[in-house]
């Protein structure tokens, strides 16, 4: 059974359709990249998968749970326990240190773990940054904080929106390797939205989002 099941998903803003008839299944241990022209709705699709945006038709099931069938408080709990989301805008909390930002998902689960936080920061190349505040970091460093936060609680489903957009090529390659390793090690599923064909090439499967749905672009071999 697929860990992520999307069926006939459609989203409109007013009278303007964003996408329609999106069907996509992602298995546990699978890494899928979504390509598409700017403005086609890749970020909106990730938000819809997470239940952050309402949809006009269709369903999203994660590990058998219909996310859009849950009330908002239950959706929030489900996201906390099962999802890791890398936002383009980072959404780090400015008054918290780097370590506190990364450890927030664990804290919300009542599973605070300073060693795991430190290990995840080292994995994204930010060892020693634990006590820093977000306003002292560059855009690329903030992006890596957001990635560490999304992965630290070992979610079943990782949703990554342009996670390498602010990174140099070597760091981007490191992050893509980390995502692929976590997918394999945790038997998680990852959906990556990106403009970068280099990033997409690290996935097991590449699909293209169009206004009329998902088109298969093919499969790739992991490096």
């Amino acid at each position: 059974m697929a860990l992520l099941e999307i069926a006939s998903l459609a989203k409109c803003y007013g009278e303007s359709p964003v996408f329609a008839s999106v069907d996509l299944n992602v298995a546990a241990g699978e890494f899928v990249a979504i390509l598409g022209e700017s403005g086609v709705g890749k970020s909106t699709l990730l938000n819809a998968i997470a239940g952050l945006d309402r949809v006009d038709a269709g369903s999203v099931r994660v590990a058998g749970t219909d996310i859009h069938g849950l009330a908002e408080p239950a959706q929030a709990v489900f996201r906390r326990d099962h999802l890791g989301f890398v936002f383009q805008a980072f959404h780090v909390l400015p008054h918290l240190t780097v370590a506190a930002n990364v450890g927030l998902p664990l804290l919300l689960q009542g599973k605070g773990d300073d060693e795991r936080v430190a290990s995840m920061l080292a994995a994204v190349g930010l060892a020693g940054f634990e006590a820093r505040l977000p306003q002292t970091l560059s855009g690329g460093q903030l992006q890596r904080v957001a990635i560490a936060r999304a992965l630290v609680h070992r979610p079943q489903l990782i949703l990554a929106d342009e996670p390498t957009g602010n990174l140099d090529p070597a760091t981007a390659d490191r992050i893509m390797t980390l995502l692929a390793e976590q997918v394999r090690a945790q038997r998680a599923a990852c959906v990556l939205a990106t403009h970068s064909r280099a990033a997409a090439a690290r996935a097991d499967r590449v699909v293209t989002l169009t206004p009329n749905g998902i088109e298969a672009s093919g499969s790739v071999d992991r490096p």
Side-chain angles (χ1 to χ4, degrees):
M1 184 180 72
L3 194 152
L4 171 64
E5 303 169 274
I6 305 172
S8 303
L9 205 66
K11 173 68 179 178
C12 297
Y13 287 129
E15 298 297 320
S16 301
V18 181
F19 51 74
S21 302
V22 171
D23 295 287
L24 180 66
N25 286 351
V26 184
E30 188 178 21
F31 190 167
V32 173
I34 299 177
L35 291 172
E37 296 179 3
S38 181
V40 78
K42 298 187 299 296
S43 296
T44 302
L45 177 58
L46 292 191
N47 286 338
I49 292 171
L52 296 171
D53 278 357
R54 293 182 179 180
V55 296
D56 296 288
S59 64
V60 177
R61 291 185 177 274
V62 177
T65 296
D66 180 358
I67 284 190
H68 291 277
L70 298 174
E72 286 188 11
Q75 278 187 348
V77 171
F78 189 85
R79 281 192 293 268
R80 179 196 71 190
D81 292 341
H82 300 282
L83 270 62
F85 204 128
V86 183
F87 296 94
Q88 278 197 61
F90 314 140
H91 293 310
V92 299
L93 299 178
H95 59 286
L96 295 182
T97 65
V98 165
N101 267 287
V102 172
L104 191 57
L106 293 170
L107 184 65
L108 292 173
Q109 292 180 341
K111 301 175 182 177
D113 188 333
D114 291 343
E115 288 187 6
R116 192 189 297 184
V117 169
S119 176
M120 186 56 65
L121 283 170
V124 298
L126 293 178
F129 281 66
E130 286 84 353
R132 296 272 294 270
L133 288 171
Q135 58 264 35
T136 70
L137 305 183
S138 68
Q141 289 167 338
L142 287 170
Q143 188 154 43
R144 284 182 278 163
V145 171
I147 291 163
R149 181 184 58 194
L151 300 181
V152 72
H153 59 303
R154 298 170 183 164
Q156 284 183 290
L157 176 62
I158 303 161
L159 302 173
D161 193 359
E162 297 286 1
T164 60
N166 288 280
L167 305 180
D168 63 86
T171 304
D173 184 70
R174 178 178 187 162
I175 293 303
M176 294 307 300
T177 298
L178 176 62
L179 286 172
E181 287 175 348
Q182 180 125 347
V183 168
R184 290 197 297 270
Q186 304 299 327
R187 293 294 294 166
C190 180
V191 179
L192 165 75
T194 184
H195 290 97
S196 168
R197 292 190 175 274
R202 301 298 300 272
D204 301 306
R205 180 160 50 107
V206 181
V207 299
T208 300
L209 179 65
T210 74
N212 297 318
I214 289 283
E215 296 178 355
S217 300
S219 59
V220 295
D221 293 326
R222 282 190 176 122

